[in-house]
Amino acid sequence: MNFSEKTQREYKDRLFKAIFGRETEESKRWRLDLYNALNDTNYTDPDALELNTIENVIYITMRNDVSFLIDDQMVLLEQQSSHNQNMALRGFLYFSQLYQIYLAKKELDVNRSKKIEIPAPKFVVLYNGSTRTEDEFEIKLSDSFILKDGSHNGAYEWTAFVKNINENHNEGLQKKCNALYDYSRFVGKVRHNKESGMEIQEAVNRAVNEAIEENLLDGFFVKQKAEVIGMILEEFDEERFKKNMREEGYEDGLADGSFKKAIESAENLLKMGINTPEQISQAIGLPLEQVLQIQKRSCENRISND
């Protein structure tokens, strides 16, 4: 099995989720530190945060998310490396499923006459993309309403609170949470290496080695070196593919989930070898050029493995 195939099979988390969204003792501690930093609280028990992240959400590709319950609050954290105007809508759809799961777990029926009390929602997006933004800003669901004249009068609203965690942004927040600072510093290293002209494999390897030397995340990069490299390379492949699609004008109109599903479908059909690229293009709606690009990448991976 070549490295790229192993990546796709095993490294399903993104780095943000691997750090803050697992059930390991260190991840619990980092998650608690991040929550305290975001809310100016001083909780001390990592188990006070009950993880309830939804895996494999249909129609919503949010693989950088961490969701948990604490006291009477339902919190969703999402890391974003692209400036997405649909963050509020994505969070709204995600929370609807979180609440359905919550009601089912509590055996609560929305059809009963007595009012049901639910945890208050909070949706925070931690942005570390290359597009310049201010330190903090909000994206509201009403921005997507067809009624643009304000006739909804704020009667229905949902907000994504976005915080820029790139270098020199929200420094106070990052000082309060060492794990967030180390994560942001590592991502910055990868980006700097790439911008200096390195190929992505070299850029990631160099960043990981530097993270090990600097003991970022208390040795996490030593213990998880192969996994971290796999996650970053997989994410880069997807971002590069999306960028090509945008430049060709093909991605417009495709929902994030539909686009990701189309790529995966093309990969699977090519592996099966029972359809031509032309047939796959017609069947799933991806342009032929992009199907051929996926096919070329798969062939290169097989050759390198042999």
Side-chain angles (χ1 to χ4, degrees):
M1 180 187 299
N2 62 59
F3 186 79
S4 178
E5 290 173 342
K6 183 178 181 181
T7 293
Q8 294 178 4
R9 182 173 300 182
E10 295 181 3
Y11 304 141
K12 296 304 182 184
D13 285 347
R14 290 293 184 264
L15 181 59
F16 177 81
K17 189 173 178 181
I19 295 170
F20 296 102
R22 293 182 174 176
E23 287 288 15
T24 63
E25 292 304 313
E26 61 183 6
S27 188
K28 289 180 180 179
R29 174 167 49 84
W30 292 332
R31 186 160 61 244
L32 179 66
D33 289 345
L34 180 55
Y35 178 81
N36 282 334
L38 287 168
N39 296 277
D40 290 322
T41 52
N42 55 1
Y43 286 90
T44 58
D45 181 11
D47 291 323
L49 280 64
E50 178 186 345
L51 197 65
N52 65 341
T53 304
I54 307 174
E55 302 293 344
N56 302 317
V57 185
I58 301 175
Y59 305 127
I60 309 175
T61 304
M62 293 177 69
R63 291 169 61 185
N64 301 332
D65 66 291
V66 178
S67 178
F68 54 86
L69 292 163
I70 180 168
D71 287 345
D72 296 323
Q73 192 174 60
M74 185 178 290
V75 181
L76 173 61
L77 305 177
E78 185 187 5
Q79 176 268 325
Q80 268 283 333
S81 58
S82 59
H83 194 274
N84 189 329
Q85 291 297 321
N86 298 310
M87 292 178 188
L89 178 58
R90 283 155 54 90
F92 173 75
L93 295 173
Y94 194 101
F95 265 98
S96 70
Q97 296 199 36
L98 284 174
Y99 280 124
Q100 289 182 56
I101 294 172
Y102 177 84
L103 293 173
K105 185 176 180 180
K106 298 291 185 179
E107 298 183 349
L108 298 172
D109 185 359
V110 295
N111 294 310
R112 73 183 193 181
S113 58
K114 185 178 180 181
K115 180 177 66 176
I116 294 175
E117 295 185 337
I118 59 176
K122 182 165 187 177
F123 180 32
V124 179
V125 178
L126 300 172
Y127 172 75
N128 62 351
S130 56
T131 301
R132 292 181 179 274
T133 73
E134 52 194 304
D135 272 15
E136 299 183 4
F137 58 97
E138 298 178 0
I139 296 179
K140 296 182 178 297
L141 185 61
S142 60
D143 295 337
S144 300
F145 290 173
I146 294 175
L147 297 172
K148 300 296 184 182
D149 57 2
S151 57
H152 57 84
N153 295 321
Y156 194 87
E157 193 56 274
W158 188 275
T159 305
F161 299 94
V162 187
K163 297 181 182 293
N164 190 333
I165 57 170
N166 281 305
E167 187 178 6
N168 300 322
H169 291 273
N170 277 303
E171 294 179 340
L173 173 64
Q174 296 192 47
K175 286 180 180 179
K176 293 179 182 178
C177 181
N178 289 333
L180 182 64
Y181 173 80
D182 287 356
Y183 163 75
S184 298
R185 184 168 172 77
F186 171 75
V187 172
K189 288 178 180 293
V190 175
R191 181 178 296 143
H192 173 75
N193 292 343
K194 185 69 175 62
E195 291 174 349
S196 68
M198 296 183 192
E199 293 296 325
I200 185 59
Q201 180 83 51
E202 181 186 1
V204 175
N205 286 337
R206 175 80 61 87
V208 169
N209 288 334
E210 290 177 353
I212 292 173
E213 291 176 2
E214 297 175 22
N215 196 35
L216 298 185
L217 290 170
D218 302 324
F220 174 85
F221 290 95
V222 176
K223 295 178 287 186
Q224 308 293 338
K225 181 175 181 178
E227 185 178 13
V228 169
I229 293 174
M231 287 185 287
I232 298 297
L233 291 179
E234 182 188 19
E235 185 168 4
F236 174 80
D237 282 345
E238 289 186 8
E239 289 299 321
R240 180 173 57 181
F241 192 80
K242 283 188 176 184
K243 181 176 183 293
N244 291 340
M245 291 287 280
R246 286 193 295 270
E247 291 176 350
E248 297 291 338
Y250 295 131
E251 189 181 354
D252 292 344
L254 280 176
D256 285 345
S258 298
F259 178 70
K260 179 67 165 56
K261 186 175 181 181
I263 296 175
E264 292 177 346
S265 296
E267 291 173 341
N268 291 333
L269 289 170
L270 286 167
K271 287 179 181 178
M272 293 170 65
I274 58 177
N275 298 94
T276 66
E278 291 78 8
Q279 291 171 326
I280 294 172
S281 173
Q282 293 177 4
I284 64 178
L286 279 178
L288 177 59
E289 293 89 338
Q290 302 305 322
V291 177
L292 291 173
Q293 181 180 338
I294 297 173
Q295 183 184 51
K296 179 182 178 182
R297 185 173 60 186
S298 298
C299 291
E300 290 173 347
N301 288 336
R302 285 196 296 270
I303 292 173
S304 63
N305 186 46
D306 294 338

